[in-house]
Amino acid sequence: MILVTSATGNIGRCLVRDLHDAGFAVRATTRDPGGAEFPDGVEVVAGDLEDPDSLRDAFAGVDGLFLLGSPGDVPAILHRAVEAGVRRVVLVSSLLAETHPDSFIGSGALAGEKAVRDSGLDWTVLRPWEFTSNAFWWIPSITEHGSVYAHESPEGSQVVDPADIAAVAARALTESGHEQRIHSLTGPEKLTVAQRVAVLAEELGRPVEFVELSTEQARQRMLEYMPAGIVEDMLATEGGDPGLPDTVRRITGRPARTFRQWAREHIAAFG
């Protein structure tokens, strides 16, 4: 039995599907089981990462655990997992732990990684770069104004598809050879925000204008829906380029998905 926490998230939904399709027993946790939709045969239970005690029943009979490193009390969650007899854990961390270890996200990611290493479980850490799915933030302005307002990073970003993160996680949860390993994950190409917007416009079949914001303009917009520490990380992470590691291909046997592939699959969400 594999327990997938944050099972309705961008990675969790894909991971539940991948594991189920491969024939593994999957238990999915979510705060609202009644509102979740999963394939037939997936066991769905209530669980809140902010309340580790709520996961006690979810851990019963579980061999492997998938865990996001940002929400909740990671040490307490891992303690409950060990008590229940869980043997392995796959943690989603962040590549900022490597490239910007002193940043808000990077330092938090390192703390989660330390908790996993200290847990006594067989562990695998996944360090992804920026998600392709962050483009969902642009849906309101695209549907309402036909524009994307964002701060630009001239060097671009190696955005990674959450489906690729899930595919690597599935291998780490079900195959040997990933124990005590850190896997860095990026997409196969560097794209600026303007280039990603252009891809969305092409897939939508209509113009979408990119409006570049100054750092301060972007800060004020982002602070409306993000914690200040994350906002500052997103606006000030120049340098520390992670390159283009071939991790997805090496582990899954297929190349990492491009932004266009992701956009084509999700374009209906953009109207």
Side-chain angles (χ1 to χ4, degrees):
M1 175 68 73
I2 297 171
L3 178 65
V4 178
T5 64
S6 304
T8 58
N10 290 320
I11 304 171
R13 284 196 305 271
C14 297
L15 178 57
V16 168
R17 181 195 63 215
D18 288 353
L19 291 170
H20 176 266
D21 290 350
F24 293 96
V26 185
R27 182 177 296 152
T29 65
T30 174
R31 291 179 178 178
D32 180 20
E37 294 185 5
F38 295 106
D40 292 341
V42 173
E43 182 183 351
V44 185
V45 299
D48 185 350
L49 294 178
E50 299 291 345
D51 179 12
D53 286 337
S54 73
L55 298 170
R56 286 185 184 275
D57 291 341
F59 282 131
V62 166
D63 177 73
L65 167 65
F66 172 78
L67 183 63
L68 290 177
S70 49
D73 185 342
V74 173
I77 292 168
L78 293 170
H79 180 69
R80 302 288 185 276
V82 171
E83 286 183 331
V86 176
R87 293 193 309 112
R88 68 171 70 187
V89 58
V90 172
L91 176 80
V92 176
S93 179
S94 168
L95 250 176
L96 290 175
E98 174 184 328
T99 63
H100 298 80
D102 296 326
S103 66
F104 179 82
I105 297 174
S107 59
L110 285 171
E113 292 180 12
K114 182 178 186 303
V116 163
R117 291 196 305 271
D118 292 345
S119 68
L121 298 169
D122 285 337
W123 57 265
T124 307
V125 168
L126 307 184
R127 286 180 173 176
W129 198 239
E130 180 183 357
F131 292 7
T132 52
S133 55
N134 287 359
F136 283 142
W137 297 338
W138 305 333
I139 290 175
S141 65
I142 288 177
T143 56
E144 295 172 18
H145 310 294
S147 302
V148 169
Y149 301 84
H151 183 257
E152 183 63 285
S153 174
E155 63 270 20
S157 181
Q158 301 93 316
V159 289
V160 58
D161 191 327
D164 284 337
I165 303 170
V168 173
R171 296 299 183 98
L173 284 162
T174 61
E175 297 177 348
S176 61
H178 300 279
E179 298 84 358
Q180 281 65 48
R181 299 284 302 276
I182 296 176
H183 295 317
S184 299
L185 303 171
T186 70
E189 60 193 345
K190 269 190 176 185
L191 293 176
T192 64
V193 174
Q195 289 170 326
R196 280 173 268 165
V197 172
V199 169
L200 290 173
E202 291 170 7
E203 294 300 324
L204 283 166
R206 66 174 189 267
V208 179
E209 181 185 10
F210 169 59
V211 180
E212 184 173 358
L213 300 178
S214 69
T215 301
E216 187 55 36
Q217 288 172 325
R219 177 180 290 111
Q220 294 308 314
R221 279 178 174 262
M222 295 164 69
L223 284 172
E224 294 177 4
Y225 56 92
M226 286 185 190
I230 295 177
V231 170
E232 294 308 314
D233 280 2
M234 295 185 70
L235 293 175
T237 52
E238 290 82 2
D241 188 335
L244 292 169
D246 199 27
T247 311
V248 174
R249 183 193 296 272
R250 176 170 52 81
I251 292 176
T252 69
R254 60 167 177 77
R257 289 156 53 92
T258 65
F259 182 77
R260 186 177 296 277
Q261 287 175 292
W262 176 89
R264 189 163 292 168
E265 183 175 330
H266 296 89
I267 201 64
F270 294 84

